[in-house]
Amino acid sequence: MSWFDRLRRGLGKTRDVLSGDVQDAMASRTPDWDELEFALIAADVGASIAADVITDAKAARERGVSIMEALEQALLDQLEPDAMRQKLRRVGFDLDVQRHFVEPAGKVIMVVGVNGVGKTTTIAKLGAYYQRHDKRVMFAAGDTFRAAGSAQLEVWGERLGIPTHAGADGTDPAAVAFDASAARVARGLDLLIVDTAGRLHTQHNLMEELKKVKRVIGKADEGEPGEVWLVLDAVTGQNGLQQARKFHDAVGLTGVIVTKLDGTAKGGILLPIVRELGVPIKFIGVGEQQDDLQPYDAAAFVRALLDVSQPDAA
Ligand SMILES: Nc1nc2c(ncn2[C@@H]2O[C@H](COP(=O)(O)OP(=O)(O)O)[C@@H](O)[C@H]2O)c(=O)[nH]1
Ligand SMILES: [Mg+2]
């Protein structure tokens, strides 16, 4: 299955919410814009963004653009506000080969997010991804507050042949991150991906703990972490955005990974993430398989979402 087919399949639930109204709109010369707006809101795009999308699409339609293209462009403007990049991306758009590579800034990616969003499994997929792109990767199992939190990543590390630095359960996660960072420098590896706790015992403050983890990484390895990525579960929709702001305030996010898009009709959540958080989306998760973690491509995302002409592949 091509990556685009995986993406399409993963967005099936959200597309179902939109497809009836999109199809109706395409079938008529004058679409029912209100219905389309409601459909966008149902897909968790958010009321004010949905209104803007419809306003833009209407304006494009009045200039004579086809309904499909007007909608596509209006959504893309929200998902990738940088017009130049959009243009470049759209040239040579290829449904079989995903050319876009996510080059991390620096050598350490710190991954944060609440329990259960998919941090550890996403880290395993990221490890495999960067390995495939010839990077020598290392893991730090920093979720030491949860029983077996670090064992889970160690198992992945073993399977992938990625060295994993772990402390015993209950070890100070900052100590694990510090030692792992120093070890990466000593071994001269290309990339360290650091897992972190998503919840602490009540007497601890998660955000303070994460700030400390970030600080000590910088002590062991100057200028790092170059990336701090938040993993966000699409199923939580707009509620996830509140979390995202707290993490952003605490540790300064440089990227977002949205998981479990396959499990929800709320795929429209990507629009408010881009507009309200102002942090780029790096990867999206559209299933549990290795290849279901994909570099985020706004143009492909929009096409997969609106692609109502093709029946869903089994
Ligand atoms: N359907 C689906 N499940 C996912 C995706 N990403 C992660 N998961 C699942 O989410 C569950 C929790 O993942 P885990 O990595 O342990 O979360 P953590 O607590 O944040 O470390 C696991 O069962 C994963 O397989 C995704 O994109 N789609
Ligand atoms: Mg975990």
Side-chain angles (χ1 to χ4, degrees):
M1 196 190 290
S2 78
W3 74 275
F4 186 74
D5 287 337
R6 282 182 178 278
L7 176 62
R8 252 195 115 256
R9 187 184 59 180
L11 296 180
K13 288 186 178 164
T14 305
R15 194 172 48 248
D16 284 348
V17 167
L18 298 175
S19 66
D21 293 307
V22 172
Q23 250 157 354
D24 287 351
M26 285 194 309
S28 71
R29 285 191 57 81
T30 48
D32 188 336
W33 295 109
D34 288 342
E35 283 301 321
L36 275 172
E37 192 171 332
F38 285 134
L40 289 173
I41 293 168
D44 233 18
V45 161
S48 79
I49 298 177
D52 289 352
V53 168
I54 295 301
T55 303
D56 291 352
K58 263 186 196 168
R61 180 76 187 125
E62 273 156 27
R63 290 194 305 271
V65 174
S66 77
I67 290 165
M68 193 53 144
E69 204 164 314
L71 257 182
E72 220 181 300
Q73 194 56 50
L75 286 168
L76 199 50
D77 282 343
Q78 296 290 331
L79 285 166
E80 202 171 75
D82 182 340
M84 272 316 285
R85 270 179 59 219
Q86 251 176 57
K87 275 228 163 87
L88 290 173
R89 263 309 164 75
R90 291 170 75 81
V91 176
F93 186 84
D94 188 329
L95 298 188
D96 292 319
V97 186
Q98 189 167 27
R99 295 201 176 85
H100 178 52
F101 174 66
V102 183
E103 181 73 54
K107 308 236 178 227
V108 182
I109 303 172
M110 176 175 161
V111 177
V112 300
V114 300
N115 276 353
V117 292
K119 283 185 303 298
T120 305
T121 46
T122 297
I123 287 169
K125 291 172 189 165
L126 286 172
Y129 172 84
Y130 285 114
Q131 232 179 7
R132 259 186 283 136
H133 286 89
D134 298 325
K135 291 201 188 283
R136 289 170 311 147
V137 183
M138 187 180 156
F139 290 149
D143 185 3
T144 57
F145 281 95
R146 195 151 53 154
S150 44
Q152 191 193 355
L153 190 59
E154 284 183 282
V155 169
W156 276 113
E158 235 161 76
R159 225 180 274 174
L160 297 165
I162 292 178
T164 305
H165 187 90
D169 283 350
T171 314
D172 179 6
V176 173
F178 182 89
D179 290 347
S181 300
R184 188 211 62 81
V185 174
R187 296 172 70 164
L189 299 179
D190 303 313
L191 188 63
L192 170 68
I193 311 179
V194 181
D195 198 2
T196 61
R199 187 170 51 206
L200 305 181
H201 305 306
T202 43
Q203 69 269 33
H204 291 93
N205 180 305
L206 177 61
M207 296 304 161
E208 287 309 313
E209 189 65 51
L210 293 174
K211 282 187 201 170
K212 189 171 148 202
V213 168
K214 188 181 175 191
R215 218 165 37 234
V216 301
I217 291 172
K219 284 198 178 137
D221 193 356
E222 174 133 30
E224 300 293 347
E227 302 280 6
V228 182
W229 291 351
L230 174 74
V231 179
L232 210 62
D233 175 343
V235 179
T236 62
Q238 300 274 345
N239 292 335
L241 263 180
Q242 314 267 354
Q243 289 168 18
R245 280 192 208 99
K246 282 188 196 148
F247 280 99
H248 196 28
D249 290 345
V251 287
L253 303 174
T254 63
V256 176
I257 297 174
V258 185
T259 56
K260 307 190 196 180
L261 280 161
D262 54 307
T264 179
K266 295 175 177 174
I269 188 66
L270 265 66
L271 282 79
I273 290 173
V274 169
R275 186 197 278 191
E276 287 166 34
L277 208 57
V279 174
I281 296 168
K282 300 285 183 179
F283 289 86
I284 58 175
V286 292
E288 301 212 49
Q289 306 283 310
Q290 176 62 51
D291 290 340
D292 291 327
L293 183 75
Q294 303 188 338
Y296 169 65
D297 182 315
F301 181 83
V302 171
R303 283 209 189 175
L305 210 57
L306 294 180
D307 183 14
V308 291
S309 55
Q310 292 182 42
D312 279 300

